[in-house]
Amino acid sequence: MAALFVIIFAVAAGFAFVVVMTVIVIIGVQQEERYMTLEHKTAPGSMAQLARIILGRYVRKEQRGTTGRGEPNGSREHSNSSTS
């Protein structure tokens, strides 16, 4: 009988955890959409930051005009062609 109560408690705790995480994500996403800050490095509030962590949304702030090597985004073609 005690084992049954432990199993019921574990299931209820797991369900409560999922419900709480869902509410946090709903609040955080609403904040992100209201302030349109999903592309920024900092979240508009603690709930939005938790929502980013829960959903696995990490945004790195990079320069928009270059690919990191000093080239524009569209110019990934090789300028010098090598012949074999």
Side-chain angles (χ1 to χ4, degrees), residues 14-36:
F15 182 73
F17 179 75
V18 169
V19 168
V20 168
M21 291 299 126
T22 303
V23 170
I24 289 174
V25 167
I26 289 170
I27 293 170
V29 167
Q30 187 221 6
Q31 286 180 353
E32 293 279 6
E33 287 183 354
R34 180 186 311 146
Y35 298 112
M36 295 184 193

Side-chain angles (χ1 to χ4, degrees), residues 34-56:
R34 180 186 311 146
Y35 298 112
M36 295 184 193
T37 57
L38 192 58
E39 292 182 356
H40 300 299
K41 189 173 184 178
T42 58
S46 60
M47 289 293 187
Q49 184 65 35
L50 282 173
R52 286 183 182 192
I53 292 170
I54 292 169
L55 295 175

Side-chain angles (χ1 to χ4, degrees), residues 63 66-73 75-78:
Q63 294 178 351
T66 61
T67 60
R69 294 180 288 173
E71 302 171 350
N73 282 336
S75 67
R76 288 190 176 235
E77 301 173 3
H78 297 291

Side-chain angles (χ1 to χ4, degrees), residues 55-69:
L55 295 175
R57 175 74 170 137
Y58 297 103
V59 179
R60 291 182 293 163
K61 192 160 187 151
E62 297 177 355
Q63 294 178 351
R64 293 197 180 257
T66 61
T67 60
R69 294 180 288 173

